[in-house]
Amino acid sequence: AQKITQTQPGMFVQEKEAVTLDCTYDTSDQSYGLFWYKQPSSGEMIFLIYQGSYDEQNATEGRYSLNFQKARKSANLVISASQLGDSAMYFCAMREGRGSGANNLFFGTGTRLTVIP
Amino acid sequence: GAVVSQHPSRVICKSGTSVKIECRSLDFQATTMFWYRQFPKQSLMLMATSNEGSKATYEQGVEKDKFLINHASLTLSTLTVTSAHPEDSSFYICSARGVGDNPNTEAFFGQGTRLTVV
């Protein structure tokens, strides 16, 4: 089973509007972290926001907020007041807590966001 | 945030040659480094996990004799693509985590290396 599912291959949003990028996850661990990264055409992975499984409040970082619904296992990214520079690929990722061992990230397939002027 | 530097950012090599990609943590000690591969318009796929001073752990289907990983120090891991072929052309990107990092903290990524084998 896929650990991270992003069902929107592409999304369009009007400049200055808000957009929600969907992400659902699958894990049996109680401790895990959810991440969103932005990948522009240059290829670098830019960290946007993080939500821990035990965090009760939804994470926010500037124009980014994470709508965390634990019971539904969803971690949607909300970008408010979209800007042209937000056009990029967006990846949802999860790290499961396995104690002191290495903890790699599992990535979804990504959503390509295009901001329309 | 912490800085991870990956070099080179772009490389073109002839089929049959080997290519070395470096991943350095510039301002922290990275006990664990991860190497990912990304095909065009696809997601990142984990290739291997390397821990300083020990052998890398490769994901299923990744040839360890072809993709040699060395994590000789707490600030440097290298990926060598040996006897490269056109099908090895891809985007390779590393990430690093620091000493004592909580498992649920950010992984810092290098800038990635676009390898083209001709």
Side-chain angles (χ1 to χ4, degrees):
Chain A
Q2 292 287 336
K3 287 191 177 287
I4 295 288
T5 302
Q6 293 180 255
T7 57
Q8 307 155 314
M11 287 285 286
F12 291 86
V13 63
Q14 203 75 40
E15 192 178 6
K16 299 180 185 177
E17 297 293 311
V19 63
T20 298
L21 306 184
D22 295 342
C23 173
T24 57
Y25 60 93
D26 183 30
T27 181
S28 57
D29 281 9
Q30 294 301 309
S31 176
Y32 52 90
L34 297 157
F35 303 76
W36 277 92
Y37 287 87
K38 173 184 178 181
Q39 187 179 44
S41 56
S42 58
E44 60 188 310
M45 294 290 283
I46 302 169
F47 167 75
L48 296 178
I49 196 166
Y50 160 78
Q51 179 87 40
S53 58
Y54 294 116
D55 294 343
E56 295 184 353
Q57 303 274 358
N58 284 344
T60 60
E61 288 286 347
R63 293 187 298 111
Y64 305 108
S65 60
L66 199 151
N67 185 357
F68 181 45
Q69 298 191 41
K70 197 169 183 177
R72 295 184 178 184
K73 292 190 174 179
S74 75
N76 299 340
L77 176 70
V78 180
I79 305 175
S80 61
S82 297
Q83 302 171 357
L84 295 178
D86 294 336
S87 293
M89 280 291 287
Y90 288 80
F91 289 98
C92 180
M94 176 176 66
R95 175 181 291 126
E96 294 170 309
R98 297 185 204 140
S100 58
N103 302 87
N104 62 281
L105 290 166
F106 294 96
F107 285 88
T109 49
T111 297
R112 181 166 296 282
L113 177 67
T114 303
V115 180
I116 304 166
Chain B
V3 178
V4 176
S5 176
Q6 188 172 339
H7 178 82
S9 58
R10 191 178 293 268
V11 59
I12 301 172
C13 71
K14 289 186 176 180
S15 189
T17 61
S18 295
V19 174
K20 181 183 282 189
I21 302 169
E22 292 187 348
C23 181
R24 293 181 184 273
S25 57
L26 297 186
D27 55 357
F28 69 102
Q29 293 182 318
T31 48
T32 306
M33 288 190 175
F34 305 94
W35 288 94
Y36 294 86
R37 182 174 181 175
Q38 185 180 28
F39 290 104
K41 301 186 188 303
Q42 294 190 26
S43 188
L44 279 70
M45 299 299 296
L46 181 68
M47 297 176 66
T49 302
S50 75
N51 292 294
E52 186 265 338
S54 62
K55 289 185 179 179
T57 302
Y58 290 81
E59 294 300 299
Q60 193 172 9
V62 178
E63 300 175 58
K64 58 184 176 183
D65 293 333
K66 180 164 190 61
F67 298 100
L68 300 178
I69 290 171
N70 184 281
H71 193 158
S73 76
L74 283 171
T75 59
L76 174 64
S77 176
T78 60
L79 167 67
T80 301
V81 183
T82 62
S83 187
H85 287 100
E87 57 265 30
D88 299 325
S89 298
S90 191
F91 187 70
Y92 295 87
I93 191 165
C94 68
S95 72
R97 297 189 61 239
V99 175
D101 265 0
N102 185 303
N104 289 329
T105 54
E106 177 187 350
F108 303 102
F109 282 84
Q111 301 92 328
T113 297
R114 194 165 303 281
L115 170 64
T116 304
V117 185
V118 298

